[in-house]
Amino acid sequence: QVQLVESGGGLVQPGGSLRLSCAVSGLRLEDYAIAWFRRAPGKERDGALCISDRAGDTWYADAMAGRVTVSRDNAKSTVNLQMNSLSPEDTAVYYCAAVTDYTGNWFFQWDDYEFWGQGTQVTVSS
């Protein structure tokens, strides 16, 4: 059974940082691209915020570039998302998602992915 479990969310002040983790089980992480998504309160889910592919290459949405870093540890079956300079606009539920990646393509939409986590809440507020 495949499971993706996010953790690390919480309440942080504006300008602060958080490190989210996505623990993967039931699949070989090295065979999958992992993306992070988010859904803000009352809004539609964003497209992919960032992606880590099988080779360890990364892609970032323009809105996130420079503020977030995605990294993976295949041995620990974990993908991390370091977020800095957080603002209230970053308040959302953050999700990780996995897709088998043998094509070398990037996948930007939620529905492109095969497995999803349950999300972790991030609240940025003073």
Side-chain angles (χ1 to χ4, degrees):
Q1 180 180 359
V2 175
Q3 283 192 310
L4 281 68
V5 180
E6 301 92 339
S7 62
L11 175 64
V12 62
Q13 292 188 341
S17 299
L18 275 177
R19 185 172 182 259
L20 307 184
S21 292
C22 175
V24 176
S25 60
L27 55 79
R28 282 167 41 94
L29 180 58
E30 49 263 54
D31 292 335
Y32 286 78
I34 302 294
W36 285 90
F37 295 84
R38 69 184 179 186
R39 174 174 278 174
K43 296 186 178 180
E44 295 292 321
R45 187 184 301 111
D46 291 339
L49 305 175
C50 58
I51 304 169
S52 168
D53 75 0
R54 295 175 64 220
D57 293 330
T58 56
W59 172 90
Y60 297 96
D62 288 344
M64 309 306 292
R67 294 197 302 125
V68 304
T69 303
V70 61
S71 61
R72 63 165 59 202
D73 185 335
N74 288 337
K76 295 183 178 180
S77 294
T78 300
V79 178
N80 297 313
L81 178 65
Q82 177 68 41
M83 301 192 296
N84 302 319
S85 302
L86 289 166
S87 72
E89 289 69 33
D90 294 312
T91 294
V93 178
Y94 286 72
Y95 303 87
C96 59
V99 64
T100 310
D101 174 23
Y102 295 105
T103 67
N105 294 325
W106 296 109
F107 299 92
F108 302 110
Q109 301 303 317
W110 179 265
D111 291 342
D112 291 333
Y113 286 75
E114 301 171 71
F115 304 103
W116 305 266
Q118 82 291 345
T120 186
Q121 175 71 48
V122 171
T123 302
V124 185
S125 175
S126 56

